[in-house]
Amino acid sequence: MIEVNPDAMSIAMERDAEARDGHIRGPLHGMAIALKDNIDTSDGMLTTAGSLALTGTRPRQDATLVRRLRDAGLVVLGKSNMSEWANLRSPHSTSGWSARGGLTRNPWDPQRNAGGSSSGSAAAVSVGVVPLAVGTETDGSIICPASFNGVVGLKPTVGLLPTDGIIPISHTQDAPGPMARSVRLVAALLDAMTGADHYLAASAEADLSGVRIGVVREHFGDNAPTDAVAEVAVSLLASAGASIVDPVPAVSLPVPATDDEDEGLRVLLHEFQHGLNAYLAGRPAGGPRTVADVVAFNRDHADAELSWFGQEYLEQAMALPGLDSEAYRTARASIVRQARDDGLDAVFSAHEVDVLVAPAFPPASMTDLVLGDYGSGGDCTSAPAIAGYPILSVPMGFVHGLPVGLAVTGPAHSEGVLLRVAGALEASLGLLADGGLIPPTTTGG
């Protein structure tokens, strides 16, 4: 946790008083939740994306998402640490480190990485500091830490949840998402985040009859023990009634030789510059107003901010033209065609599958602040990120005592199916639990 809400206890007492009076706002009434430190709150806490540059001002109002969570009866316990600027500061960054919060450690092995960029959200849930957390993802930032820390994490369809009041990277790829110890809690939190009332019910359907699951074999192979755990998970899904289509092809995105050739990175940096400038302009006076201001602050405070790695991506972003540039529009059209039109949509259609599954990531790698992140895996996150499609990681077992997750991907607005598949796997593994949910018979008011 990067900060604890000074008002958490008084808010919790208010929720308790409501419950005694018979006013239960929903199944998560009174439960504690952690918010990633890039989500605005207008209380006594800061919102900084882990950067010291934003510690001088506070947001003017809650993000829309936060208002929904408060309305659902949740108690914001505090802000969780994250990879600074959501890991878009340098190609040599270490996931889980920020100048403001330091290093988030993996509860399963403190020498190993907690993943990123929603590092603190996943670790806090895993270790039991909170039962619920909100992360954000552009590409892998919920799925990676969920897998590394042995929790359930869902990045929903881009646009399903509001992103105002969330420090941005990419308006075409960013999405906040729920993280918890169980599928049912993730589903209940998604209900609260959307204002819907059907995701929790979908997660309880353990019978997968009629669901067609495609196995993406090209996303196997990074780690043999993880692959073996995934094989068991697929067999359990088949035993739950699913039809298994094995294999289906992966969506192959070109691997650029240099950053200059990377269309996906080009899109992110253009959108990062545009979105962050707009966000900073709306913050109260007294802090940076542009990406260039952040770069200058980091240079002036290099001992604290640039001690382990640089800010190459910030420097590249501040020099880019706007979103009307030909380079941006061409790159964006190209990656969407590859990932969505000729990619995931084509796979779902040609093989008539509802979801795709594969190992999410290998076990967590060792943290190395000197050399930065390393290791392979996570190939399954990029295509849905660019397409804006939902992806979920659910714990499927352990490799040498470290948790590993199964990634489940679907087309737009298929969150109910993803939660149904994840819930069935959880039940098959004997991990099904309400996790503190208030029974429906007592919910009301």
Side-chain angles (χ1 to χ4, degrees), residues 412-425:
H413 301 290
S414 61
E415 287 80 4
V417 181
L418 268 60
L419 289 163
R420 183 180 170 190
V421 170
L425 178 60

Side-chain angles (χ1 to χ4, degrees), residues 253-397:
L253 301 174
V255 178
T258 66
D259 283 353
D260 290 339
E261 298 176 5
D262 190 338
E263 291 181 316
L265 178 61
R266 190 178 308 150
V267 168
L268 290 185
L269 291 178
H270 272 87
E271 295 182 350
F272 187 38
Q273 182 249 50
H274 175 83
L276 187 54
N277 281 345
Y279 172 84
L280 293 174
R283 294 267 297 213
R289 314 297 281 182
T290 65
V291 176
D293 291 342
V294 174
V295 168
F297 177 94
N298 290 344
R299 289 171 178 165
D300 291 342
H301 300 83
D303 287 350
E305 280 287 353
L306 305 179
S307 56
W308 291 112
F309 52 88
Q311 56 177 341
E312 297 93 324
Y313 287 151
L314 287 171
E315 291 168 347
Q316 291 175 42
M318 76 175 186
L320 291 173
L323 299 186
D324 57 350
S325 74
E326 183 66 23
Y328 165 74
R329 290 188 287 109
T330 299
R332 172 64 186 158
S334 174
I335 63 173
V336 169
R337 175 183 52 77
Q338 295 171 53
R340 183 193 300 167
D341 303 337
D342 297 341
L344 289 170
D345 286 354
V347 173
F348 287 128
S349 176
H351 297 273
E352 299 180 328
V353 292
D354 300 296
V355 299
L356 306 174
V357 298
F361 280 81
S365 57
M366 301 295 284
T367 297
D368 189 336
L369 283 164
V370 175
L371 298 179
D373 287 342
Y374 65 91
S376 59
D379 297 334
C380 58
T381 66
S382 291
I386 295 168
Y389 289 174
I391 180 169
L392 176 151
S393 179
V394 57
M396 62 177 180

Side-chain angles (χ1 to χ4, degrees), residues 46-58:
L46 298 172
T47 303
T48 69
S51 171
L52 298 174
L54 297 188
T55 56
T57 63
R58 287 184 170 85

Side-chain angles (χ1 to χ4, degrees), residues 4-17:
V4 175
N5 184 358
D7 302 320
M9 185 59 72
S10 62
I11 295 170
M13 293 174 69
E14 291 174 5
R15 299 293 84 80
D16 282 349

Side-chain angles (χ1 to χ4, degrees), residues 14-229:
E14 291 174 5
R15 299 293 84 80
D16 282 349
E18 289 177 349
R20 286 193 297 270
D21 292 338
H23 176 46
I24 304 295
R25 301 187 184 206
L28 301 178
H29 182 100
M31 293 183 70
I33 189 167
L35 305 178
K36 189 175 178 180
D37 185 44
N38 60 351
I39 301 174
D40 284 353
T41 58
S42 61
D43 43 30
M45 295 185 291
L46 298 172
T47 303
T48 69
S51 171
L52 298 174
L54 297 188
T55 56
T57 63
R58 287 184 170 85
R60 291 189 171 90
Q61 61 187 13
D62 283 347
T64 297
L65 184 66
V66 175
R67 293 199 298 271
R68 291 182 181 180
L69 296 175
R70 297 193 201 274
D71 289 345
L74 286 150
V75 180
V76 178
L77 182 65
K79 298 290 183 70
S80 50
N81 195 25
M82 58 182 285
S83 309
E84 187 172 321
W85 295 114
N87 254 355
L88 200 65
R89 204 189 85 178
S90 167
H92 309 295
S93 64
T94 295
S95 290
W97 182 91
S98 71
R100 182 176 172 226
L103 179 65
T104 306
R105 298 186 182 273
N106 190 313
W108 296 89
D109 180 348
Q111 301 304 310
R112 293 185 180 272
N113 198 263
S117 62
S118 303
S119 323
S121 294
V125 167
S126 179
V127 81
V129 172
V130 285
L132 303 160
V134 177
T136 66
E137 176 165 329
T138 306
D139 182 351
S141 287
I142 290 175
I143 302 306
C144 173
S147 183
F148 278 10
N149 291 274
V151 303
V152 184
L154 168 66
K155 181 195 181 183
T157 304
V158 172
L160 179 67
L161 297 172
T163 55
D164 63 285
I166 299 177
I167 298 175
I169 286 182
S170 161
H171 68 276
T172 63
Q173 295 186 35
D174 290 350
M179 308 181 80
R181 291 280 287 273
S182 74
V183 175
R184 286 176 59 79
L185 278 175
V186 161
L189 183 51
L190 186 61
D191 276 337
M193 295 167 84
T194 59
D197 61 358
H198 57 267
Y199 292 116
L200 179 55
S203 71
E205 295 183 33
D207 182 1
L208 295 183
S209 298
V211 177
R212 288 174 58 84
I213 297 175
V215 180
V216 187
R217 288 288 165 186
E218 291 167 72
H219 291 329
F220 287 62
D222 290 316
N223 179 263
T226 302
D227 292 348
V229 174

